[in-house]
Amino acid sequence: MVTLEERISKAVALRAEGYNCSQCVAMTFNPALEAVTAGLGTGVGNTGNICGAASAMAIVCGDKTYAGPADKKGQYARVSALINKFAALNQGQVNCRDLRCPGRKPCVDLIKDAITILHEANL
């Protein structure tokens, strides 16, 4: 079993190597998700929309729990719960443009938030 501290340490190292926030989160759970999450940084393709760390939570959740089309409602509920926890840690915000305002957490802390939420969800 990989510990939370090991995941966070790996994510920090990936960030230092130049990976985006989404990749840093996803690759700590499955290195094969590198390419899938490559375009999600800085709010999905640098648009400032949903945070890449939050987007990665949805991808990791699907990677670990998706059971086919009949599971669609369950998958939506699981992802919604993860995103709501992320928002609760960040003054209700999930969009990159709002999270990157002066005085807010740096991206590496948002990455840590996402990893912690996923880890605590046993994903």
Side-chain angles (χ1 to χ4, degrees):
M1 172 68 83
V2 179
T3 69
L4 176 59
E5 293 76 21
E6 290 170 329
R7 284 191 166 122
I8 288 175
S9 179
K10 180 175 180 173
V12 170
L14 289 168
R15 187 71 172 172
E17 291 176 31
Y19 287 97
N20 72 38
C21 51
S22 188
Q23 290 171 308
C24 292
V25 172
M27 290 170 64
T28 65
F29 291 86
N30 180 351
L33 296 174
E34 176 183 352
V36 172
T37 52
L40 300 177
T42 318
V44 183
N46 196 30
T47 63
N49 291 314
I50 191 164
C51 170
S55 296
M57 291 194 312
I59 290 170
V60 169
C61 183
D63 184 52
K64 302 292 185 183
T65 68
Y66 182 66
D71 183 41
K72 181 170 51 175
K73 287 183 183 178
Q75 189 66 25
Y76 290 170
R78 288 187 292 276
V79 169
S80 179
L82 296 170
I83 297 299
N84 287 337
K85 286 180 183 181
F86 183 85
L89 293 174
N90 293 290
Q91 300 172 323
Q93 302 301 318
V94 295
N95 285 329
C96 186
R97 74 176 66 81
D98 300 319
L99 293 166
R100 294 184 72 190
C101 292
R104 303 299 289 267
K105 291 179 186 177
C107 290
V108 73
D109 287 346
L110 299 172
I111 291 166
K112 290 175 185 178
D113 285 348
I115 290 170
T116 300
I117 291 165
L118 289 167
H119 185 84
E120 290 175 352
N122 293 314
L123 297 176

